[in-house]
Amino acid sequence: MMDKGIEHLISARKLLKESLEKSRALGSSLEKVGPRLDEINQRLPSMEVAIRPIRAESEALSSVGGHINRAVVPAAAVLKVFDAIHGLEKSLSDPQSNLPGYLSVLKRLEEALRFLGENCGMAIQWLGDIVQYLEDHKVADTRFISGLKKALKNIRELETAEEKGHLDGGLLDVALDRLESELQRLLTENSVPLPMSSPALPGEQASIAPSPLPVAVIQKLHAILGRLAVNDRLEKCISIYVEVRSSNVRASLRALNLDYLEISVSEFNNVASIEGYIAQWGKHLEFAMKHLFEAEYKLCHDVFDRMGPDVSKSCFPKIAAQAGILAFLQFGRTVTESKKDPIKLLKLLDIFASLNKLRLDFNRLFGGAACAEIQNMTRDLIKRVIEGSCEIFWELLVQVELQRQTPPPADCSIPRVVTFITDYCNKLLGDEYKPILTQVLVIERSWKHESFQERILITELLNLVKAIELNLEAWSKGYEDAVPSYVFLMNNHSHLYKYLKGTKLGGIVGEPWLSEHDQYKEYYSAIFLRESWGKLPTHLSREGLILFSGGRATARNLVKERLKEFNEAFDDMYAKQSKWVIPDKDLREKTCQAIVQAIVPVYRSYMQNYGPLVEQDPSTSKYAKYTAQSLEKMLLSLFLPKLPKQVSFQMKQASGKFSNGAADQYQTPPTVK
């Protein structure tokens, strides 16, 4: 019995010990749980606040779950695409190093943004619907609903306002800006001014220049333009293209030294002073059209053909205008605004010829609606050229007739209007100007609804010649003495015969008319010699000079008296006629020889026979003043032309008269260097 009691005590002791250890373990666990309970106790108020807006029944909460899922799923898809967009940023390499790859990534970026643009609105709408559902079913309190509505409002404003285009944070704009820079780089690096060493410029037929950009570059431009165009950046592309290409054309033209295009009417006296510039203008305009603008027109088509025909047609006029075509047209207008004179008519015809030669090129290159400014300036220039040319041409006869009132040339030479008009008429009848003048007159008559016949042109030029003849007759009567009028008429009849024979004008007036003037020349030459130098030998009369015994002194006195009279008459006549001019060398030499033959043999014979009578006289030099050789030398030096005066020949704007230059020699207008 004792043993059993001990066993029970041992068992109880063991159980008590185990219980004590469990109590200790529980106490230790409780000590550890205490802080966690404190933490939970602290978080309970905030959790209570978070779930406080949701006060609906469990059934309402379970039904709203489906609505929330339908709104959140598309919103999550939008966010996923948005993250993908920014993932593409690392793939956007430098377009210069890998243009195809860059364009491929850019296209993916555009597609992603298109998805955002198409789905953002829908996701926002669905989110709005669920907020409305929460509000209608009072699933959450008003404060919570108000916060959701405010957030949705901000999202909608961002989606509909200007920031809509920046859903990617501006990544697309940056990518497109880089593409524009690549477009400008390709154009700039491959746009090289045309070398001006081409032999075609001085006058050879200018060939059309090839496309100034390589095919590979054009293909790259096509690819770049395609992407920029779909992103509404075509106008910016055109602006870049126009700036680069027009700058390139200007650089090509600068080598031609076109500063003269900026000249104003106030900077020159008459058209003759810029005649050289007008000649250059025609060549430079043709060069620009054939070599530069033609190439730019073709290149515009090659580059922008995929954008539609209107794009290239609107792009090219901007290049042409900025490159300088308007300056060419303005220079032509400046010439039309200058003072009227006959030389201006020739220069206006030159301008018309240049424009007419390029008429088809102008119509083809600048025929579109976008070229309205160039078309208007060209039409205005042609109108001014035609009207100005016809005005001068029809006034020529009046101008020649007005010259009749001016005094004749004091040196008996050919009035400038005579030499000018004869040469001028031949130019107008020449192969260079007659077709152009005829065309201009035809156009002018058509504007007035009048017909034109070639005979009208011929008749007008013949009227000019008749007016010259009447002028000569009037001028010959302007000398106080008849002798200078003979020299004057001899000079002018000789000019009309010699310088019209074999010319276009000579063929029109006819051989009988020319022969008549040749006869008049001979007639006035003979009458001049008879009425002037032909009278001089009468002073060397031999009457009363038969030597006889005791009559030597009387003979000596007669010789002295007659030599004195001869010397005085010779000196007076020589002094007067040394101021006269015979411009034609053959006529001058022939006239001088005739005078020598009329004077020198008689004088030589007289001095051989009677010179010894005065040679012993102390005053011999007073009477035997000349030798036959010195007389001949002096006579052969008569009528030499003087240096031409530096004058211009123009119509006065106010009175409509030519400048008073009847005695002036015609001066070829200088060429501007």
Side-chain angles (χ1 to χ4, degrees):
M1 289 291 293
M2 184 174 294
D3 293 335
K4 289 183 179 180
I6 292 172
E7 291 177 358
H8 284 299
L9 286 173
I10 293 170
S11 297
R13 179 176 175 275
K14 184 179 180 181
L15 179 62
L16 183 61
K17 186 177 180 181
E18 291 176 354
S19 297
L20 182 60
E21 289 177 355
K22 289 181 179 180
S23 296
R24 289 176 180 171
L26 179 62
S28 178
S29 298
L30 288 175
E31 288 179 0
K32 295 179 179 179
V33 170
R36 293 181 62 190
L37 291 175
D38 291 339
E39 182 181 351
I40 292 173
N41 190 47
Q42 292 175 2
R43 292 176 61 188
L44 282 175
S46 61
M47 292 175 65
E48 182 181 5
V49 172
I51 63 173
R52 187 179 299 158
I54 304 174
R55 299 182 179 275
E57 298 294 332
S58 60
E59 295 162 352
L61 289 175
S62 62
S63 63
V64 82
H67 292 281
I68 293 175
N69 289 336
R70 284 194 297 273
V72 170
V73 169
V78 168
L79 291 175
K80 185 176 181 181
V81 172
F82 186 79
D83 291 337
I85 287 174
H86 284 276
L88 292 174
E89 183 174 5
K90 298 179 181 179
S91 302
L92 283 172
S93 59
D94 183 5
Q96 179 178 352
S97 60
N98 183 11
L99 181 60
Y102 189 90
L103 293 174
S104 176
V105 174
L106 183 59
K107 186 176 182 181
R108 289 163 56 194
L109 176 60
E110 293 170 8
E111 293 171 350
L113 287 173
R114 193 178 304 114
F115 176 85
L116 285 181
E118 294 172 353
N119 291 278
C120 275
M122 182 177 62
I124 293 172
Q125 181 63 44
W126 286 3
L127 289 174
D129 291 344
I130 190 59
V131 171
Q132 187 65 44
Y133 180 88
L134 294 176
E135 182 179 20
D136 292 343
H137 292 78
K138 299 180 181 179
V139 176
D141 64 9
T142 56
R143 185 176 177 183
F144 180 75
I145 296 296
S146 177
L148 290 177
K149 286 184 175 180
K150 185 176 181 181
L152 280 174
K153 181 182 179 182
N154 292 336
I155 294 175
R156 284 194 180 98
E157 289 177 352
L158 289 174
E159 193 267 340
T160 57
E162 181 181 0
E163 286 78 3
K164 181 179 179 181
H166 300 284
L167 293 173
D168 62 337
L171 179 59
L172 180 61
D173 281 345
V174 173
L176 294 174
D177 289 344
R178 289 180 186 173
L179 206 54
E180 287 180 356
S181 299
E182 177 62 8
L183 173 71
Q184 186 166 18
R185 186 195 67 80
L186 283 172
L187 288 170
T188 303
E189 292 185 0
N190 291 278
S191 296
V192 181
L194 190 66
M196 292 295 107
S197 58
S198 172
L201 182 58
E204 296 181 9
Q205 180 64 34
S207 60
I208 297 176
S211 177
L213 290 182
V215 175
V217 173
I218 294 178
Q219 291 174 345
K220 289 183 178 180
L221 295 179
H222 284 164
I224 293 175
L225 289 172
R227 292 266 53 85
L228 291 174
V230 298
N231 286 280
D232 297 326
R233 294 206 178 195
L234 183 58
E235 286 301 321
K236 181 64 179 299
C237 295
I238 293 175
S239 176
I240 293 172
Y241 183 87
V242 169
E243 179 183 355
V244 174
R245 294 306 303 177
S246 61
S247 175
N248 188 67
V249 175
R250 286 196 303 271
S252 298
L253 290 174
R254 272 196 297 271
L256 299 178
N257 190 19
L258 299 180
D259 293 342
Y260 69 87
L261 294 180
E262 306 299 326
I263 195 171
S264 64
V265 177
S266 61
E267 293 180 71
F268 60 94
N269 296 324
N270 50 56
V271 172
S273 65
I274 61 167
E275 185 176 2
Y277 289 151
I278 298 173
Q280 292 180 50
W281 177 85
K283 294 178 181 178
H284 290 161
L285 178 59
E286 181 178 3
F287 182 84
M289 291 292 292
K290 296 291 187 182
H291 282 272
L292 301 176
F293 295 131
E294 175 71 35
E296 291 303 323
Y297 179 83
K298 182 179 183 299
L299 185 61
C300 275
H301 180 269
D302 292 343
V303 172
F304 292 101
D305 62 335
R306 298 182 182 180
M307 302 293 106
D310 292 340
V311 176
S312 62
K313 290 180 179 179
S314 65
C315 181
F316 171 70
K318 297 175 183 178
I319 294 174
Q322 293 185 23
I325 186 64
L326 299 181
F328 277 102
L329 298 175
Q330 180 57 46
F331 176 81
R333 175 168 178 157
T334 299
V335 175
T336 66
E337 294 173 347
S338 62
K339 296 178 182 178
K340 290 189 298 183
D341 64 54
I343 292 296
K344 180 179 177 180
L345 170 57
L346 300 180
K347 297 303 105 185
L348 290 178
L349 293 179
D350 287 340
I351 291 176
F352 180 84
S354 296
L355 293 173
N356 192 53
K357 184 178 181 181
L358 297 170
R359 179 171 55 88
L360 295 179
D361 298 282
F362 265 88
N363 290 341
R364 180 168 49 83
L365 299 183
F366 306 119
C371 301
E373 182 180 9
I374 297 175
Q375 293 170 7
N376 292 336
M377 285 192 68
T378 304
R379 280 194 291 265
D380 179 68
L381 175 57
I382 293 174
K383 183 174 183 291
R384 287 171 173 271
V385 167
I386 291 176
E387 290 178 344
S389 300
C390 293
E391 182 181 7
I392 295 173
F393 178 75
W394 296 119
E395 286 184 7
L396 280 174
L397 180 60
V398 176
Q399 303 301 323
V400 173
E401 291 173 344
L402 289 171
Q403 289 293 295
R404 210 167 291 164
Q405 305 169 9
T406 62
D411 61 0
C412 307
S413 64
I414 304 168
R416 183 170 178 267
V417 67
V418 176
T419 58
F420 183 87
I421 289 298
T422 52
D423 179 63
Y424 194 73
C425 288
N426 272 317
K427 285 185 177 180
L428 294 180
L429 289 169
D431 296 337
E432 180 180 1
Y433 286 112
K434 184 181 178 183
I436 305 171
L437 178 58
T438 300
Q439 187 176 358
V440 166
L441 295 174
V442 168
I443 295 173
E444 188 241 3
R445 284 296 182 99
S446 69
W447 289 347
K448 299 178 180 179
H449 305 287
E450 300 175 0
S451 61
F452 176 83
Q453 297 178 351
E454 186 178 355
R455 191 63 194 173
I456 296 176
L457 171 60
I458 302 302
T459 300
E460 191 66 17
L461 296 180
L462 287 176
N463 288 337
L464 288 175
V465 176
K466 292 177 182 178
I468 288 295
E469 291 182 297
L470 293 175
N471 284 11
L472 293 178
E473 183 179 348
W475 285 327
S476 68
K477 297 175 181 178
Y479 293 99
E480 296 180 358
D481 186 11
V483 174
S485 71
Y486 301 148
V487 178
F488 171 77
L489 290 170
M490 176 185 68
N491 274 330
N492 284 275
H493 285 294
S494 172
H495 174 82
L496 292 177
Y497 170 74
K498 185 172 183 178
Y499 290 95
L500 292 188
K501 186 176 179 63
T503 65
K504 298 282 187 180
L505 184 58
I508 292 176
V509 298
E511 189 62 34
W513 185 92
L514 294 172
S515 298
E516 182 180 355
H517 282 282
D518 189 38
Q519 293 169 9
Y520 274 125
K521 176 201 70 175
E522 296 296 337
Y523 169 77
Y524 286 112
S525 176
I527 196 173
F528 159 67
L529 186 62
R530 185 188 70 196
E531 295 299 322
S532 60
W533 296 101
K535 294 181 177 181
L536 212 57
T538 59
H539 295 290
L540 299 177
S541 172
R542 302 186 181 214
E543 184 179 354
L545 294 180
I546 299 176
L547 298 180
F548 54 87
S549 178
R552 188 177 183 86
T554 302
R556 180 183 299 110
N557 290 334
L558 284 175
V559 170
K560 286 183 178 181
E561 181 180 349
R562 290 170 183 174
L563 283 174
K564 181 180 179 182
E565 292 175 355
F566 174 86
N567 290 337
E568 289 175 351
F570 177 87
D571 290 344
D572 179 64
M573 195 172 298
Y574 185 85
K576 289 180 179 179
Q577 297 192 20
S578 62
K579 299 176 183 178
W580 299 350
V581 171
I582 299 179
D584 183 69
K585 181 181 179 182
D586 294 338
L587 180 60
R588 180 173 65 250
E589 292 178 353
K590 180 180 178 181
T591 302
C592 289
Q593 284 293 343
I595 296 173
V596 168
Q597 291 301 318
I599 303 297
V600 174
V602 176
Y603 184 79
R604 181 184 291 112
S605 174
Y606 192 86
M607 292 303 292
Q608 287 175 351
N609 290 325
Y610 306 110
L613 292 175
V614 296
E615 287 177 355
Q616 304 300 323
D617 193 288
S619 57
T620 298
S621 59
K622 182 178 179 181
Y623 303 104
K625 188 174 182 180
Y626 301 106
T627 64
Q629 291 77 9
S630 63
L631 277 181
E632 181 176 0
K633 184 177 180 181
M634 291 176 67
L635 292 173
L636 291 176
S637 67
L638 284 171
F639 312 122
L640 292 172
K642 309 300 187 294
L643 292 175
K645 297 179 181 179
Q646 300 295 312
V647 296
S648 62
F649 184 42
Q650 62 186 30
M651 299 176 175
K652 293 184 179 179
Q653 295 283 47
S655 66
K657 298 179 180 180
F658 282 106
S659 62
N660 186 9
D664 298 328
Q665 297 297 314
Y666 174 70
Q667 175 195 0
T668 302
T671 299
V672 180
K673 296 181 179 179

